[in-house]
Amino acid sequence: MCIRDRVKRTLLPGSGVADIVDLAKERKAHKKSFFKIIIRYMVGGIFFGFVCHYGGASEEVFLAGFAVATAVTILAIAASPAIIMLGAGDHRYADDRCWLGGCCGVGRVRNTSDVISNFPFLWVGVETLAALSTHCEHGVPVLGAEGGRVQMTQAEVYGWTAVALGWCAVCFGSSLYHIVLDDQTLAADRAPIAIIVLGFTCIAIEERLCSLHPSTVVCLLALGMASVGFWYITGSAKPYYTTQYFGFALTGVLVISRPAAYTLDLYWGFGVLGYVVAKILEEVDEPVYRATGRLVSGHTLKHLVTAYGGHLTAVMLAERQAILPVTGKSVLANQVGTGLLGIFFGVAVLGVMDVIRHGVGYAHLRSLRRQPGPSQLDAPVIEASPAEGTKSD
């Protein structure tokens, strides 16, 4: 019995806690299987890139291995089972202190540390927009050419604009989420995260693999937004996880394995490392809070580390120089990139068709998420464990 049918079964009279327990266990297993695919792709891709680079392998060898691994990963993700969250999400965090407000007519701010640690994201967005505006107006300096400047491509401009606006939006979306703590505000938090990650992915593809048409960038960003809406309506998190984690993995592989188009390439590596550290801190929210004597939680540090990583990418954008000629975007690389994007969009279309074909089933999922019955009320203790909750903002 597929997970969609099992979910509908929980709506029938006589369905009980056992059904929810089974679905919670299945979700845990499916989530673990998904992340195994992502980790294998990223670790394997980085290792293969290092071997090809330092082993003197030709570009054709790397692109062939990269194309096969990426195509297989996309298909593996598409074939993997859904990751369904039943009932309301897990919105519990270690540091729930309210230590701001309560004076001058201002109410006390819930989860104060997790709220104010989002404020640096606004500055990151502003400084990214400022650097982008300067390059759009004057061009990017060319390394070794006194006074020489080149214009950024439209795809790069679109990508960096999305990243900058995403940083600004996540400041407000994540702050609101940590004050209210419900699925609606979590959607407002996740949407800009999808935009930021896919914006960086588009930039990495444009700089290191193949030329992107601006409409392709817009379509990828729209898929990210749609994945958040799909999660909110149905409770299926796999599309959102794909945009965030596969997008990040692809960016990491390209950054480490392909020739750079600009100087300060090391800042890309700092950004990738910062993201990894931030995700680890997210998973050890409570242990960090206890280890620091209830001073700061892992989730609060996650916000600060992520913001600092974003700041480094803004500094990179402002101060880097173009390296000419561009060596990464060969004819073969453009063909490989175009083919992989075709596979990705094809899988996305099949996913949309599946939603249309099983509209009634997904309507049941939405009913179960928004209107939990008596049989579901005992399930959150099992479903919303700290390690398996939906709190991935």
Side-chain angles (χ1 to χ4, degrees), residues 85-91 177 180-190 228 231-232 235 369-370 390:
M85 180 67 186
L86 298 181
D90 174 20
H91 306 293
Y177 166 63
V180 180
L181 292 180
D182 60 16
D183 281 3
Q184 289 86 345
T185 52
L186 180 56
D189 182 10
R190 284 183 163 182
V228 177
W231 160 78
Y232 179 73
R369 279 179 60 76
R370 303 300 169 219
T390 63

Side-chain angles (χ1 to χ4, degrees), residues 270-301:
F270 289 148
V272 171
L273 179 61
Y275 182 91
V276 172
V277 172
K279 301 311 291 184
I280 293 174
L281 288 170
E282 182 179 52
E283 294 300 319
V284 293
D285 184 27
E286 178 69 32
V288 169
Y289 190 50
R290 291 197 304 265
T292 58
R294 301 175 65 85
L295 177 64
V296 63
S297 68
H299 200 86
T300 299
L301 290 177

